[in-house]
């Protein structure tokens, strides 16, 4: 349950955290002067070594944030959440690295390098910039074109075996060798910025590296664990095992997961504010009661409401969100009115984003040149 | 059995050839104006598509020869045989490619890139040049530094799976991912020159490529088969499946295999002509009889003689070899005299090679820069 003032336990997430040693975010966040609202609202709920990143921020030292993209289909509001975090860290002075996983797309999804590149630029990078990421201060690259990353992956391949890859990623004997190799390119994506940043700062040789943060969903934790493990296996590189934060997934419009491949569940960043789009948003799952009378009497259930979640993730400051919560709980605000208000916010946001995206397209096209 | 005039069947080789579709070399060799003596003597005994290379030679068209090296230990007379073939093809106008398998050495033998590079230059390349390969007309490279080869390997990794690699190379689940990936870098080593040569000739796009020949020992055939298979899987590249020739291994001084890691079996190219070296050569296995009387009566057995083989591989023209064979068979030439004559040839060769190698060292040092 997401509120500006408390984090309700989510059993599922809590179990995973306990089993794998992910810490709750609260203590680390307390160190920050201006935490992101995702951190206060329990949307970012767990971490590994984020306390060290908080220290780095407070000491105004250099750090890097890595957030890979596998361009497949369209970006939706759940993806926006990741970009919002990148913008936050960019404003705190972090160096932002955005690898485009065209090698993995080729091996695992049979996408040509050309297709991936086009999609990355037009759908993803254009939106990243439109959402507010400063394109002049990001390091975007295609995996297939980054010699440093590719060479590091070749090195890392020495100390990982098939059994290990199989147990983490479920590979079979029929899996193609590229697909088996792909996670090592991703590990290199995460570790390589440490080398680049050290070099930029003029720190050469086997010195301790600039720390790296990877903000991910909880499903990516096995990959983070592997990366941290591998970092420790290559002592001579003096890697710092990357820090990570874990965020909740956005709920889809009909409950369940918001999914790129299911239009009825997602608000795409390129959705046009047509009648049918309005209908899609207005038909979403809310925390309303069976009848209007019941709702006025018992109040609504924002804990189960997709509209409330959309507002909490994307459109409200603490004061507004608290008001919404209380008005819903008291039965004062009914679902019809609330949905309409939310739709207007979404609609305004998408219209504005479209204009910004059109303006960003040229820069996006040039960013990989 | 090696003679200048006939090839005695070797059951073991013949079985392998029949099972895997390797052809006898005779017909293809008949096309050549000046075949290498290894071809006439049955030292090079089999091939795949070498007839097409013979046509290419006769048409004075471009072709390339690829011969990788995995620098481990010292070069011996068996290795010289490979270099002799490269020199032969270089003189026929072939472009010579010599990949140094430093990635494989790193993954499979735990050798550092620095160690492999040093060994490749000082022990291998210096000897290649000293033996007569023209250093100005060879393409030597470290796998780890060749972007074209590395990128091609990444592509090829898509259409080969773990089962296939396992069955060819005996990989286990505990094998490191680099080692599993290594054969694909070698396949890229063999296929990549086709792309480079086409480019040099100004042939762009999906045109048929310049043919490639890989001279190897029969133990390398599984790798050749995989390479030819993969070439066919990537139709859009229009690769020509590489041609190959197969040569016999040199027998060690004590019978059995000549091995880099067993000094008593090998004549190293860097052996100094000391007393103990002389003793090593003079103690080798010959085709002599139990007693001098028996030998004078029945004659010697050059078919089983290491000295005869050394002469046949490295030191005699057809006339000399025929004379040696007949003098041995008739009992006229005894082993003591014969060994001494051979030792003198070897000794003279090594002394001369040492001087040439010293002169070649500077060029060898620069060739990878």
């Amino acid at each position: 349950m997401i509120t500006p003032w408390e984090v309700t336990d989510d059993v599922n997430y809590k179990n995973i955290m306990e089993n794998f040693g992910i810490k709750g975010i609260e203590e680390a966040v307390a160190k920050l002067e201006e935490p992101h609202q995702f951190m206060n609202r329990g949307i970012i709920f767990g971490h590994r070594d984020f306390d060290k990143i908080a220290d780095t921020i407070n000491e105004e030292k250099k750090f890097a944030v890595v957030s890979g993209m596998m361009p497949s289909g369209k970006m939706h509001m759940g993806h926006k959440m990741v970009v919002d975090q990148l913008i936050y860290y960019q404003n705190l002075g972090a160096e932002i690295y955005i690898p485009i996983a065209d090698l993995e797309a080729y091996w695992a999804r049979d996408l040509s390098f050309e297709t991936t590149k086009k999609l990355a630029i037009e759908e993803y990078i254009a939106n990243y910039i439109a959402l507010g990421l400063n394109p002049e201060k990001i390091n975007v690259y295609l995996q297939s074109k980054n010699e440093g990353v590719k060479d590091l992956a070749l090195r890392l391949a020495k100390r990982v075996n098939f059994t290990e890859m199989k147990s983490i990623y479920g590979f079979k004997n029929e899996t193609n060798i590229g697909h088996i190799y792909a996670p090592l390119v991703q590990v290199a994506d995460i570790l390589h910025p440490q080398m680049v940043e050290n070099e930029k700062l003029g720190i050469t040789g086997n010195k301790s590296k600039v720390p790296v943060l990877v903000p991910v969903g909880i499903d990516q934790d096995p990959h983070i664990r592997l990366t941290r493990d591998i970092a420790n296996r290559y002592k001579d590189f003096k890697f710092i095992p990357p820090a990570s934060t874990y965020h909740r997934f956005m709920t889809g419009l009909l409950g369940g997961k918001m999914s790129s491949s299911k239009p009825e569940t997602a608000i795409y960043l390129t959705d046009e504010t047509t009648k049918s789009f309005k209908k899609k948003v207005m038909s979403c799952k809310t925390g309303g009661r069976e009848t209007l009378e019941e709702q006025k009497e018992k109040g609504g259930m924002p804990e189960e409401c997709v509209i409330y979640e959309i507002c909490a993730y994307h459109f409200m400051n603490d004061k507004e969100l608290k008001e919404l919560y209380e008005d819903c709980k008291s039965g004062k605000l009914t679902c019809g009115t609330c949905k309409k208000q939310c739709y207007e916010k979404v609609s305004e946001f998408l219209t504005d984003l479209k204009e910004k995206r059109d303006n960003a397209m040229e820069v996006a096209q040039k960013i990989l040149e």
Side-chain angles (χ1 to χ4, degrees), chain A:
Chain A
M1 173 56 196
I2 304 152
T3 72
W5 57 94
E6 66 169 352
V7 180
T8 311
D9 289 332
D10 181 312
V11 178
N12 203 0
Y13 284 133
K14 205 173 176 182
N15 272 349
I16 297 173
M17 288 169 68
E18 276 174 8
N19 286 340
F20 293 107
I22 296 173
K23 287 188 186 158
I25 199 80
E26 301 76 12
E27 261 184 58
V29 167
K31 292 185 167 194
L32 292 173
E33 224 168 286
E34 293 182 49
H36 193 280
Q37 61 182 28
F38 289 168
M39 297 167 183
N40 295 329
R41 294 181 186 178
I43 294 171
I44 297 174
F45 61 90
H47 79 102
R48 293 181 190 276
D49 288 348
F50 183 66
D51 46 341
K52 292 180 188 165
I53 298 292
D55 292 339
T56 307
I57 291 171
N58 290 335
E59 290 161 15
E60 296 187 0
K61 285 191 184 158
K62 200 80 196 164
F63 70 109
V65 177
V66 180
S67 178
M69 66 165 84
M70 158 71 101
S72 60
K74 298 201 274 182
M75 280 186 78
H76 57 56
M77 295 298 277
H79 298 120
K80 170 177 178 293
M81 183 179 46
V82 177
V83 183
D84 287 341
Q85 295 178 57
L86 297 182
I87 295 167
Y88 169 76
Y89 293 118
Q90 189 177 57
N91 290 336
L92 286 171
E95 203 62 45
I96 309 293
Y97 285 82
I98 304 176
I100 300 164
D102 64 343
L103 281 172
E104 192 186 344
Y106 172 72
W107 289 322
R109 305 194 182 196
D110 204 21
L111 291 176
S112 76
F113 293 98
E114 296 69 28
T115 304
T116 303
K117 185 176 174 182
K118 190 172 151 62
L119 199 61
I121 291 170
E122 294 176 7
E123 176 69 25
Y124 285 71
I125 298 171
N127 269 318
Y128 279 40
I129 299 170
L131 287 166
L133 200 64
N134 182 345
E136 283 171 21
K137 291 186 348 196
I138 51 176
N139 308 279
V140 190
Y141 64 86
L142 297 160
Q143 283 181 332
S144 69
K145 300 288 185 194
N146 190 315
E147 307 305 336
V149 166
K150 286 186 286 180
D151 280 349
L152 181 56
L154 290 172
R155 289 257 183 171
L156 303 180
K158 174 138 195 264
R159 299 196 189 153
V160 185
N161 67 31
F162 185 65
T163 301
E164 199 173 5
M165 291 303 235
K166 206 170 169 172
S167 75
I168 298 174
Y169 299 99
F171 294 141
K172 305 203 172 114
N173 284 358
E174 291 67 44
T175 306
N176 76 61
I177 303 292
H179 197 171
I180 295 169
Y181 185 75
L184 294 171
V185 183
Q186 285 179 53
V187 172
D189 280 329
I190 295 175
L191 296 179
H192 187 246
Q194 298 195 24
M195 299 160 87
V196 178
E197 291 305 315
N198 265 37
E199 203 172 295
K200 280 201 277 182
L201 294 174
I203 306 170
T204 55
N206 289 342
K207 300 274 175 56
S208 172
K209 303 281 194 284
V210 166
V212 162
L213 170 68
V214 193
V216 291
I218 192 82
D219 61 321
Q220 294 298 308
D221 189 53
H223 190 65
I224 298 291
R225 289 205 301 279
L226 175 68
T227 306
R228 288 169 60 91
D229 245 37
I230 292 180
N232 282 323
R233 286 176 209 175
Y234 286 78
K235 298 282 179 220
D236 42 335
F237 279 96
K238 300 254 180 189
F239 288 126
I240 300 175
S244 51
T245 58
Y246 302 92
H247 50 252
R248 287 162 196 268
F249 296 109
M250 273 199 80
T251 308
L253 293 177
L254 306 174
K257 215 185 151 189
M258 186 173 286
S259 164
S260 279
S261 57
K262 292 179 190 156
E264 69 279 13
T265 70
I267 298 174
Y268 295 122
L269 299 186
T270 46
D271 264 337
E272 292 193 34
T273 53
T274 57
K275 269 192 191 169
S276 66
F277 172 71
K278 186 169 181 178
K279 204 178 152 197
K280 177 166 84 171
V281 177
M282 297 294 283
S283 321
C284 78
K285 180 179 167 289
T286 67
R289 305 283 177 179
E290 296 275 307
T291 64
L292 195 60
E293 286 68 38
E294 197 189 339
Q295 183 146 357
K296 287 199 170 164
E297 193 190 315
K298 298 187 181 167
M301 298 173 289
E303 301 83 358
E304 297 175 16
C305 178
V306 169
I307 293 289
Y308 179 80
E309 190 179 311
I310 292 172
C311 292
Y313 273 78
H314 300 294
F315 295 118
M316 288 191 173
N317 62 29
D318 287 358
K319 188 170 162 289
E320 290 167 330
L321 191 64
K322 190 166 187 177
E323 215 171 276
L324 178 67
Y325 183 82
E326 286 169 355
D327 287 354
C328 175
K329 274 292 195 188
S330 71
K332 188 172 145 195
L333 184 65
T334 56
C335 290
T337 315
C338 180
K339 278 197 280 194
K340 202 157 165 270
Q341 285 171 357
C342 179
Y343 173 74
E344 269 154 27
K345 284 181 198 290
V346 172
S347 170
E348 193 184 324
F349 165 75
L350 290 179
T351 307
D352 179 56
L353 189 70
K354 183 179 165 22
E355 195 186 323
K356 287 181 176 157
R357 192 170 51 239
D358 289 347
N359 292 336
M361 200 56 81
E362 202 175 333
V363 176
Q365 301 276 8
K366 283 185 182 154
I367 210 161
L368 289 176
E369 275 162 20

